[in-house]
């Protein structure tokens, strides 16, 4: 099978010195594709994109996605190649590459370059995934894979749906990292309150305005409670306006805008309160519309008292 990152593709997306030897990037192309692309779309969809003959200037989803995937992979490739491009390895050991006409970039220049490469690659990949989500029928291999079907069971199935509850910069990588916390929120809050039948009903496609309203509120509730759950885990970098999963590509990078521990605790409390208020509103709408939510049973929480069993010789739970 042909490769996604042929030399001609790298040259199309990367603006480097005229005398740069693109063959030096060859050893890193497979890792870039395997780590960042294949892990998101699967081997089947990757093969489909590689075998697809793109039409220049086309606005067809598959043409747009292939171009964006190539762009993202090219920048990821250069990012992971940088440490080796800086060094020359021979029988005498490791040498830093130098020339008589130019000076090596200092650490601040390299930091800024790596940040730029990572942000550009992530942006292209997120744009590609958004197109795929909006046009899933055009990407059958991905649509039929576990990488896609895992989201069918969730109330929040797309990056842009979570984006409406809290800014994650439309990051697919961040959205994927939130799958386990979102599932935990559903199990902890939605299932006990709604019951499996009503929860499944809310997750199903509907044209009823009341159901659609409850679906919107449920996504907002899950989004808020998920943010509250992950705010102080340390896995995500929170700023005053958004958050994203921390990356291992720039382990030394720490934004000056990152929230303090106290601010994170305040954010957690705010989102927890918002989520619980959404849950109250959801329940009130469901209770007021029994003919719409026909399998809902309002079961007030009995608390600890309802779990106590009184026996002749002792009392137990």
């Amino acid at each position: 099978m042909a490769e996604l990152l042929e030399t001609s593709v790298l040259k199309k997306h990367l603006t480097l010195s005229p005398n740069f030897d693109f063959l030096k990037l060859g050893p890193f192309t497979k890792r870039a594709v395997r780590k960042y692309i294949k892990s998101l779309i699967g081997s089947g969809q990757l093969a489909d994109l590689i075998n697809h003959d793109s039409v220049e200037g086309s606005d067809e989803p598959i043409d747009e996605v292939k171009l964006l995937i190539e762009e993202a992979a090219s920048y990821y490739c250069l990012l992971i190649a940088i440490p080796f491009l800086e060094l020359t390895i021979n029988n005498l050991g490791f040498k830093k590459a130098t020339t008589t006409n130019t000076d090596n970039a200092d650490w601040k220049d390299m930091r800024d370059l790596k940040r730029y490469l990572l942000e550009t690659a992530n942006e292209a990949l997120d744009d590609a995934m958004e197109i795929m989500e909006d046009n899933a029928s055009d990407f059958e291999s991905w649509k039929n894979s576990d990488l896609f079907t895992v989201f069918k069971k969730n109330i929040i199935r797309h990056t842009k749906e979570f984006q409406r509850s809290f800014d994650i910069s439309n990051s697919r990588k961040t959205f994927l990292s939130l799958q386990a916390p979102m599932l935990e929120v559903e199990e902890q809050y939605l299932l006990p309150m709604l019951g499996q039948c009503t929860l499944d009903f809310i997750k199903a496609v509907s044209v009823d305005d009341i159901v659609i309203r409850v679906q919107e509120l449920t996504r907002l509730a899950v989004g808020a409670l998920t943010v509250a759950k992950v705010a102080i885990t340390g896995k995500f970098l929170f700023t005053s306006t958004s958050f994203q999963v921390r990356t291992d590509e720039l382990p030394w990078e720490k934004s000056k805008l990152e929230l303090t521990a106290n601010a994170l605790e305040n954010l957690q409390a705010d989102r927890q309160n918002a989520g619980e208020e959404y849950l109250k509103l959801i329940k009130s709408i469901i209770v007021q519309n029994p003919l719409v939510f026909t399998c809902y049973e309002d079961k007030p929480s009995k608390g600890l008292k309802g779990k106590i069993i009184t026996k002749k010789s002792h009392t137990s739970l």
Side-chain angles (χ1 to χ4, degrees), residues 33-300:
V33 173
R34 181 180 67 252
K35 181 178 181 179
Y36 297 101
I37 309 302
K38 184 179 178 181
S39 62
L40 278 184
I41 67 176
S43 57
Q45 190 59 61
L46 176 60
D48 291 346
L49 289 176
I50 292 174
N51 295 327
H52 173 70
D53 293 325
S54 298
V55 178
E56 192 72 25
S58 169
D59 58 358
E60 288 296 316
I62 192 168
D63 290 321
E64 292 182 326
V65 166
K66 182 170 184 179
L67 184 65
L68 288 166
I69 291 291
E70 288 177 344
E71 178 184 346
S74 296
Y75 279 94
Y76 284 132
C77 177
L78 182 56
L79 176 65
I80 63 178
I82 283 178
F84 295 91
L85 295 177
E86 291 184 285
L87 299 174
T88 298
I89 305 174
N90 56 35
N91 292 335
L92 299 177
F94 298 83
K95 308 295 180 181
K96 193 172 184 65
T98 61
T99 71
T100 58
N101 299 321
T102 58
D103 295 327
N104 287 329
D106 63 22
W107 69 270
K108 293 191 296 295
D109 295 326
M110 296 308 300
R111 175 199 62 192
D112 293 341
L113 174 61
K114 289 180 179 179
R115 183 195 295 120
Y116 170 77
L117 293 174
L118 181 61
E119 289 177 351
T120 303
N122 286 345
E123 181 182 279
L125 187 56
D126 289 338
D127 288 346
M129 296 307 299
E130 183 175 1
I131 294 174
M132 291 178 66
E133 288 177 349
D134 291 340
N135 301 274
S137 60
D138 291 331
F139 304 93
E140 285 295 331
S141 295
W142 175 64
K143 182 181 178 181
N144 295 326
S145 72
D146 290 340
L147 293 169
F148 179 84
T149 56
V150 67
F151 303 115
K152 291 182 178 179
K153 63 184 179 182
N154 298 339
I155 188 67
I156 299 181
R157 300 172 184 174
H158 304 290
T159 308
K160 62 183 178 182
E161 290 178 344
F162 195 97
Q163 178 72 24
R164 296 189 186 108
S165 65
F166 203 90
D167 186 7
I168 56 173
S169 300
N170 285 305
S171 171
R172 177 75 175 187
K173 187 172 183 179
T174 298
F175 179 65
L176 290 175
S177 299
L178 294 169
Q179 294 307 302
M182 284 195 292
L183 178 60
E184 188 175 349
V185 167
E186 288 193 18
E187 293 287 338
Q188 184 178 355
Y189 294 96
L190 297 184
L191 190 58
M193 184 182 85
L194 301 174
Q196 191 65 60
C197 179
T198 302
L199 181 57
D200 290 342
F201 176 69
I202 291 175
K203 289 182 179 182
V205 177
S206 178
V207 295
D208 188 295
D209 289 340
I210 296 176
V211 178
I212 292 174
R213 175 59 175 160
V214 168
Q215 291 172 334
E216 292 173 346
L217 291 170
T218 305
R219 294 188 188 101
L220 291 172
V222 171
L225 293 169
T226 299
V227 173
K229 191 172 287 290
V230 304
I232 58 175
T233 63
K235 183 177 180 179
F236 299 89
L237 189 152
F238 279 82
T239 71
S240 60
T241 58
S242 66
F243 77 96
Q244 59 183 288
V245 65
R246 294 182 186 272
T247 61
D248 57 359
E249 291 86 353
L250 303 176
W252 37 262
E253 178 77 351
K254 188 173 183 179
S255 172
K256 295 180 181 179
L257 299 176
E258 185 172 8
L259 295 181
T260 64
N262 185 60
L264 280 174
E265 290 181 1
N266 291 337
L267 172 66
Q268 182 187 42
D270 176 77
R271 291 297 84 199
Q272 181 71 30
N273 180 67
E276 292 176 0
E277 290 301 316
Y278 283 130
L279 292 178
K280 293 177 184 176
L281 183 54
I282 291 166
K283 183 172 181 178
S284 68
I285 295 175
I286 292 175
V287 170
Q288 293 168 16
N289 294 275
L291 297 181
V292 176
F293 302 94
T294 56
C295 61
Y296 175 73
E297 295 182 33
D298 191 7
K299 297 179 179 179

